[in-house]
Amino acid sequence: MTDPVPLSASAHAALRYDRHAAGAGRRFARLGLSEIAFAAADMPLCLAKDGQTGRFNLIALMSLVEPANLFVFGGGFQATYVPQAVLLGGFRLHGAGVEGLAVDPADPTLGATGEALFDGGVATPLAARIRAALDALVADVQAAQSLVDSYAAHHLIRPLSLSVALEGGSGHDLAGLYTIDEAAMRALSDAALGALHRADALAPAAVMTASLAQTERLRQLHNARFTPVIHGLTLG
């Protein structure tokens, strides 16, 4: 990612947005609350600690050992759901830009192909749609953050051990990942469980835990494209 530049007609008159080019270099994506069930259909969902705030962020994992997004091949994103942070990865909110937007010139969605952001020096409706989508994503990520903060407050987060065994005897551990502590969840008092239920926090935790089975899909995608192949995964 390069530094974002305020969107302007003078600098970006020919710039186009190609949503089909999204995500090739993204190994994970931060998720909003409304995306949990959709993303879990394809990807393992886990938590990663923010190095600046110390809070846990909800993410979709899209890579294991390779420096690439395993879902991007054959000319597009090969999954039933593409996280909004991936689709909108080339844009940021910026008060000085047209429609309150800035762009990341290095993002693969921005270039000479796709939908035009300007026509005759005037922003097309696409720019306004992207701004609205970004506003919605920010609110959705904040809602997910509140959910994860509630898990942390109840001490329901534990480190996730994810180890990859490669053909030839080498291995790789994915560090810095966390997940829901099911044992701690079972040990909660009835009052605490009731509070989480009323806050609609139990179902997302169950989906996140179940989604870890999608690491097997990541293994399959890796083995279809990369060597050495992964012959074993260990989750703990």
Side-chain angles (χ1 to χ4, degrees), residues 123-193:
T124 66
L126 173 63
R129 295 200 304 270
I130 289 172
R131 170 59 193 262
L134 268 180
D135 285 337
L137 177 59
V138 168
D140 204 23
V141 167
Q142 289 175 344
Q145 186 68 69
S146 295
L147 173 72
V148 173
D149 286 347
S150 72
Y151 296 149
H154 284 87
H155 306 289
L156 299 178
I157 296 174
R158 67 169 178 84
L160 173 65
S161 173
L162 175 52
S163 298
V164 175
L166 297 167
E167 187 178 47
S170 61
H172 179 75
D173 295 331
L174 277 74
L177 300 177
Y178 297 80
T179 189
I180 299 299
D181 189 332
E182 295 179 275
M185 182 81 76
R186 290 191 295 268
L188 285 176
S189 67
D190 290 345
L193 280 172

Side-chain angles (χ1 to χ4, degrees), residues 64-66 70 166 217-230:
L64 289 172
V65 299
E66 52 296 296
L70 288 170
L166 297 167
R217 185 171 185 205
L218 294 185
R219 185 188 72 83
Q220 294 169 358
L221 290 170
H222 170 96
N223 289 353
R225 296 169 55 198
F226 296 95
T227 56
V229 300
I230 297 171

Side-chain angles (χ1 to χ4, degrees), residues 3 5-6 9 11 13 46 58 75 96 100 103 130 155-156 186 189 196 203-204 208 231:
D3 291 334
V5 179
C46 47
L58 174 63
V103 294
I130 289 172
H155 306 289
L156 299 178
R186 290 191 295 268
S189 67
L196 288 170
M208 290 165 59
H231 64 75

